[in-house]
Amino acid sequence: MALTQNFAPASRQESPARAWMRALEATARAAQDETRTLPVVIGECASRLGEKPALLSDRETLSFAGLARRMNRYSRWAIAEGVVSGASVCLLMPNRPEYLALWLGVVQVGGVVALLNANLTGEALAHCIAVAAPSHVIVAAELAPAFSSAAPHLSIAPKIWLHGAADLPAARLDIAIEGFAGAALAEAEKRAVRHADRALCIYTSGTTGMPKAANVSHHRLVMWSYWFAGLADIGADDRMYDCLPLYHSVGGVVATGAALVSGGSVVVQERFSARQFWDDIARWDCTLFQYIGELCRYLTAAPAHPAERAHRLRLACGNGLSADVWRAFEERFAIPRILEFYAATEGNFSLYNVEGKIGAIGRVPGFLMARNPIALVKFDFDADRPLRGADGFCMRAARDEAGEAIGRIAADGRDLSARFEGYTSAADTEKKILRNVFAPGDAYLRSGDLMRVDEQGFYYFVDRVGDTFRWKGENVATLEVAAALCACPGVAEAAVYGVAVAGAEGRAGMALLGVEGEPDLAEIAARMRSLPDYARPVFLRVTRRLEVTATFKHKKRDLAGQGFDPGLIADPLYVFDRAQDAYVPLDRQGFAAIQSGAMRL
């Protein structure tokens, strides 16, 4: 099948209002029965859909009935192991259908599954295990070395179960599980599990310190699944491509849950590959895929692929798609519709760009304004916290003014949709709460994200609070500078951050560029002149590929700490020389001149 153009079916071309209403209706129905959790929904789908494919991969395929049977086996294993309601089980496993079956089974009987980052090792992995305080840890065979590197740093001794054959002294879960029945749980086996109960722990990315474990209730699993299913109009004929990590909320719950509750199928790929992506989309006949913005940037920067338009994709859904990539991505690959959204695993608010406005992360429709929990407040960049007025209360940001986005926390804890479920650490939970914001006693959740809202009510992501820095008395939004750099020929990706300079106030802008071949420094300098003087990067660091987290976030904190010393950094370094109006190589002599103040930045 070779298509030259792809259009959404007429039935899917609709007004934004219809998409909103469909999502509201779906979630309203899903919230009516507080005992109808996601595992319960999967069981219902299995009864109705039987052997229809649910989860597909090169490793194995599970039908809805097969997924339910596998889930029920893991439930019975958890009961036999004495996993009581509220007890934690850590899961360390790469992407595969088994991953979902496993955690669905444990949470079905009241257990809480902590989804460990499959890329962590050593002390970082040990930290994530410790904050979950698990009774059991399940380790996939291929990740046994990673667990072994963490074991010496553990101060707790959970029971270890190994999935697959590996050199680890532990019982084999993949063998043991076959001894349990896969039939639906009998009444005597069921546990009282409700929407308000905790189901998962999902970790933050750890770009600013050790990861934190966010609590995720059954309510959130159900609402995420049905909300996205409604907005995207997912049906039984849809097939979702998911190459994002299953240990994060977008790849592990949104992409999978939205398709499954609708009777659709999910293709589970172990990891993203720009070279393999379009072949996978075509051979699995996918109609949807879940993205993170940088994934789209990688695809757009990749060479032409013969299958890049030979697909039946009708929608791409995700977050973080920047304006400079959006149009090129949409047009080059013939994507009929992009559904961009903003949300955080631990957040109590979200935004959706149902209208498809390029660059926007969402908009609150007029009929939902009364329920809108979002506020943007002025930010004090010097103090690194929201700005308060003479009366002690926070001040709302004006239209088109960047401010930190905060979400109102319901005073009534029974309002599950507006509560903050927090982290496993009470101290981390309290740090995220802003109190006495607009009135005595009120409370809001800090997102840590700077946004602005335009006259039409569309929200735009500006930067992370910790990423924005001050130089020459002005605030520099790193994403705006990065977008300008990525528009330069040969620059595939860019991370912008501030570095300390001896004798200078604030931080000077520095950019790590991912380039192929030699950078065109003259062209970069010419294009940077379109930016305000304070926003132009002072330093450039050049490499072939930027190191990122599993969700494609740049490790800016580490980069900023490395500074711009050519004696410590092996990558080529450049500094903007004002006398020459050009970027020139930065050597030890130039570094010394900057540190002594002899060279003016």
Side-chain angles (χ1 to χ4, degrees), residues 265-281:
S265 306
V266 184
V267 175
V268 178
Q269 181 56 266
E270 185 163 338
R271 61 177 61 87
F272 166 69
S273 166
R275 180 180 301 177
Q276 183 180 337
F277 183 86
W278 293 111
D279 285 331
D280 279 353
I281 292 292

Side-chain angles (χ1 to χ4, degrees), residues 21-34 36 195 222-223 226:
M21 292 308 298
R22 189 171 47 244
L24 289 168
E25 291 165 359
T27 50
R29 289 193 299 270
Q32 289 175 351
D33 182 354
E34 64 175 354
R36 190 169 177 261
H195 280 186
V222 171
M223 292 300 106
Y226 278 99

Side-chain angles (χ1 to χ4, degrees), residues 497 510 541 559 562-573:
Y497 48 96
M510 186 167 183
R541 177 176 172 179
L559 292 169
Q562 293 166 14
F564 58 97
D565 186 349
L568 301 176
I569 297 172
D571 295 327
L573 295 173

Side-chain angles (χ1 to χ4, degrees), residues 228-526:
F228 280 92
L231 285 182
D233 195 15
I234 301 178
D237 59 336
D238 278 310
R239 186 168 285 188
M240 172 76 76
Y241 184 75
D242 185 12
C243 59
L244 301 180
L246 294 181
Y247 53 77
H248 275 307
S249 52
V250 173
V253 180
V254 172
T256 55
L260 293 176
V261 300
S262 307
S265 306
V266 184
V267 175
V268 178
Q269 181 56 266
E270 185 163 338
R271 61 177 61 87
F272 166 69
S273 166
R275 180 180 301 177
Q276 183 180 337
F277 183 86
W278 293 111
D279 285 331
D280 279 353
I281 292 292
R283 75 186 176 98
W284 290 109
D285 197 23
C286 294
T287 58
L288 315 163
F289 86 89
Q290 193 83 31
Y291 67 79
I292 288 178
E294 287 305 295
L295 181 155
C296 300
R297 185 182 296 279
Y298 295 152
L299 289 173
T300 305
H305 189 288
E308 66 184 34
R309 294 170 71 90
H311 59 72
R312 288 203 310 123
L313 288 175
R314 65 173 185 83
L315 179 141
C317 177
N319 59 319
L321 181 55
S322 60
D324 64 304
V325 174
W326 190 311
R327 178 73 73 188
F329 179 76
E330 189 176 46
E331 292 182 352
R332 173 177 167 181
F333 302 120
I335 308 296
R337 182 185 171 204
I338 291 175
L339 177 59
E340 172 78 5
F341 70 92
Y342 168 89
T345 300
E346 65 272 51
N348 65 342
F349 70 90
S350 50
L351 291 161
Y352 306 89
N353 184 357
V354 178
E355 293 85 351
K357 186 175 178 64
I358 291 178
I361 58 174
R363 178 174 175 267
V364 180
F367 56 84
L368 289 180
M369 286 301 293
R371 297 171 49 181
N372 182 22
I374 307 166
L376 302 186
V377 292
K378 293 177 183 287
F379 195 77
D380 185 337
F381 290 92
D382 292 324
D384 198 33
R385 61 173 180 260
L387 184 66
R388 292 182 182 266
D391 59 3
F393 295 121
C394 294
M395 298 181 288
R396 295 181 187 271
R399 290 281 180 172
D400 276 320
E401 178 185 13
E404 183 176 359
I406 58 177
R408 185 177 62 250
I409 299 173
D412 184 353
R414 291 173 296 180
D415 182 358
L416 299 183
S417 62
R419 71 174 181 173
F420 172 39
E421 297 181 351
Y423 305 102
T424 54
S425 163
D428 286 336
T429 299
E430 186 59 31
K431 287 177 185 177
K432 289 283 285 187
I433 300 175
L434 193 63
R435 300 188 184 278
N436 302 314
V437 180
F438 301 119
D442 67 0
Y444 281 72
L445 174 65
R446 292 189 62 184
S447 69
D449 291 326
L450 297 173
M451 300 180 189
R452 65 178 178 86
V453 60
D454 67 15
E455 293 296 334
Q456 295 177 297
F458 284 98
Y459 287 79
Y460 300 83
F461 183 81
V462 175
D463 221 340
R464 287 290 295 169
V465 163
D467 287 349
T468 297
F469 59 90
R470 287 178 70 82
W471 181 241
K472 298 186 177 181
E474 300 285 352
N475 300 322
V476 180
T478 61
L479 291 184
E480 293 180 9
V481 180
L485 286 165
C486 287
C488 297
V491 178
E493 50 187 330
V496 177
Y497 48 96
V499 292
V501 179
E505 290 188 11
R507 290 177 175 265
M510 186 167 183
L512 175 61
L513 307 180
V515 302
E516 293 291 340
E518 292 295 320
D520 188 340
L521 297 174
E523 181 66 18
I524 292 173

Side-chain angles (χ1 to χ4, degrees), residues 25 77 79 112 189 202 215 321 375 416 466 471 506 591:
E25 291 165 359
W77 167 83
I79 293 171
V112 178
E189 296 174 295
I202 299 180
N215 297 319
L321 181 55
L416 299 183
W471 181 241
F591 177 75

